[in-house]
Every structure is written in C-alpha cells, then in structure tokens.
Amino acid sequence: MGMDRTTELYEQFKSKVEVLSGECFRVKTSKEAGEVVCKLMKEKGVENVALLNSSISLKGEFAKQIGEAGITVYTDRFREVTPNAHAGITQVNYAIAELGTLVQAEADANVDDRLCSTLIPIHIALVATSTMIPTLMETMSILHQLPRLPGFVGFITGPSRTSDIERVLTVGVHGPKQLIVIFVDEQVVGVA
C-alpha cells in the first residue's frame, strides 16, 4: 500500500473515531507510541494501567516507560486488577478505515484481552498501520482467508454507548468511557 493511500485511510479512520468522541494518533515507532501513551495517561490523571503485552508494547518497552512515568503498570492477574484499573492497553489485529472500527481476531476468546479492553474507563488500542483495511467487506474476506478462522472476532467502534436507558444515547455505560487509538508505522515482527 503506497504511503499516500495509507495516509488517506488513516485520515478516514481518524475522522470516524473523532466523530465517535475517540482520540486517534499515528507514530513511526513503538517507542514513540509508548511516549504518547505516557503523556496521555499523565494528562488524564491515570495512576495505574492494565497492560496486555503485545509485539508493539514489548518492542516499545511500555512497561519500563510507564513505570518511569510514575504510573503503576499491571501485566498479569487481570481478573484482580482490571476492576480498579484506570486504563487498559491492548493491541488489535486490524483497523477498518471506512467505519473507524478496530477488529480483535483471536484463535479463542482471550479473557485477558477482553478484561483489559472492556472493564476499564480508558481503552488504549495499539494497531500496526500496515493492518489498516479500507472496508468492512475486505475485512470479512481477510478473516475468511486466514489459515484458521478465528474463534473470537470482536469489533470496537468508539467508546461504549447505549440507548437503552430511556432511549437516550449515553456513552461509557457498559464499557470504556474513552477510546484512544495509536497507529504504529514501524513493522514489528510477530504481531500479536
């Protein structure tokens, strides 16, 4: 995918996410992604975070960077820590430009991933820029062509929202109140 096309898709994704009151950033390296994460958490008063290690967070040394920023970082025992954690960091498999939607596709329903991305007030999603897909149709086609169909596929579009309370749209009732997406251009081997 040419650089211009990638930028075009990123801008399309970003505009969709912002309409849904999410935030979107793009950096060149995993290390820079960690720096952006630390800066955002400091701004938002985050004191502790559940970090589900992934190729981007490991390469960017997120645990070390976050610890040095004075924020407590949990990398396991998610069942115990996520109910009280201020934020969660996970890596997603794909991003759909036309919808501003993130896609989690896993061999099985990874409980840790779900805890870190849904049980917390702020979900920080890491995504490799190279996994951006223009449309939902193309995404479905890619999922069907995987060597093994994922046992779990989750779609995340903006912070959680519901209209089932007196038919009034409310954000952040059944899940994260804030969604932050960080695209990383650098190719990381063994993408989670």
Side-chain angles (χ1 to χ4, degrees):
M1 206 176 337
M3 215 41 231
D4 296 346
R5 179 70 174 132
T6 302
T7 301
E8 198 181 302
L9 290 173
Y10 169 74
E11 290 302 334
Q12 187 182 4
F13 183 95
K14 182 176 164 71
S15 67
K16 294 285 192 224
V17 164
E18 287 173 350
V19 163
L20 296 163
S21 55
E23 295 175 55
C24 198
F25 302 88
R26 183 178 174 189
V27 295
K28 289 196 167 22
T29 68
S30 300
K31 189 167 184 344
E32 277 177 86
E35 289 163 10
V36 170
V37 165
C38 290
K39 182 170 167 288
L40 288 166
M41 290 198 298
K42 280 237 176 281
E43 282 170 12
K44 294 174 186 294
V46 169
E47 290 168 14
N48 60 62
V49 61
L51 168 65
L52 183 63
N53 270 320
S54 64
S55 56
I56 292 174
S57 70
L58 289 168
K59 183 148 200 280
E61 299 186 315
F62 277 37
K64 183 169 174 272
Q65 285 201 56
I66 294 166
E68 285 170 359
I71 296 164
T72 305
V73 57
Y74 304 113
T75 54
D76 57 12
R77 305 200 334 276
F78 295 121
R79 280 180 195 277
E80 293 167 43
V81 301
T82 48
N84 301 308
H86 294 176
I89 302 171
T90 69
Q91 185 169 335
V92 298
N93 304 78
Y94 306 103
I96 309 173
E98 73 169 349
L99 303 173
T101 294
L102 300 170
V103 184
Q104 293 169 305
E106 290 146 20
D108 46 46
N110 180 334
V111 175
D112 287 345
D113 199 326
R114 306 272 279 290
L115 292 171
C116 294
S117 60
T118 57
L119 258 193
I120 36 66
I122 302 171
H123 177 205
I124 300 170
L126 308 170
V127 56
T129 308
S130 61
T131 62
M132 178 107 61
I133 304 170
T135 66
L136 177 61
M137 286 299 284
E138 285 170 75
T139 306
M140 299 314 275
S141 161
I142 286 168
L143 291 173
H144 279 286
Q145 286 162 21
L146 291 173
R148 198 171 142 234
L149 206 57
F152 171 79
V153 177
F155 292 89
I156 300 168
T157 309
S160 84
R161 49 194 55 232
T162 180
S163 293
D164 60 12
I165 303 161
E166 297 182 1
R167 292 194 287 287
V168 175
L169 178 67
T170 315
V171 174
V173 177
H174 304 303
K177 292 175 172 56
Q178 294 181 52
L179 173 68
I180 299 166
V181 185
I182 302 176
F183 283 88
V184 180
D185 291 353
E186 172 181 59
Q187 286 294 334
V188 183
V189 183
V191 174

